[in-house]
Amino acid sequence: MRAHVAARVSVASRAAWFLCLWLVLAGATLDDVPAAATAVGAATWTSLRFLAPGSSRLSPRALGRLVLLFLYHSIVAGADVARRALDPRLPLRPGFVAYPTGLPPGPRRNVFATLTSLLPGTVPAGDQNAQIFYHCLDVERPVIAELAAEEEALVRALYND
């Protein structure tokens, strides 16, 4: 019975998020109600098919820390990339690093790779044998330590089982 209630809450929350997305993208007009209902229903059904409701609980405090950590790394890494791009000597040491992740293949690892792809200077370039390969602008930076901190913050925020 409890799982049934959790599933309904998951359906309702996903539909609410998709409705909010629709309103942001398309606006709110009565003429769009049939299209909005169809789009929200299809998006909700698709999301449930590809990512079934789980038992994970969201930790608002840890999620806030993750957002702050992400913003901090984005600003610091963005400034570093800008400095390198504007420096006439172009101090780049590009290459690949292999990050050994503890996340299982699937949605959790995909969320992590997506999150870290938004950080300037690193781009996920492949995944094999519990490792994610990143192309980096500077392999001498502590990329592995930064990725470990991001992974730990993500696990605390979203997968507080």
Side-chain angles (χ1 to χ4, degrees), residues 25-42:
L25 295 175
T29 60
L30 288 178
D31 294 340
D32 289 341
V33 169
T38 302
V40 168

Side-chain angles (χ1 to χ4, degrees), residues 69-107:
L69 180 66
F70 179 78
L71 290 173
Y72 171 77
H73 281 157
S74 294
I75 291 167
V76 169
D80 182 59
V81 169
R83 180 188 63 81
R84 291 172 192 278
L86 298 173
D87 190 331
R89 293 171 283 137
L90 199 62
L92 300 176
R93 290 172 289 285
F96 290 89
V97 297
Y99 175 70
T101 181
L103 297 170

Side-chain angles (χ1 to χ4, degrees), residues 70 111-120 122-124 134 147 150:
F70 179 78
V111 167
F112 175 69
T114 301
L115 177 68
T116 56
S117 74
L118 299 174
L119 296 173
T122 60
V123 177
Y134 286 87
L147 291 169
E150 291 287 338

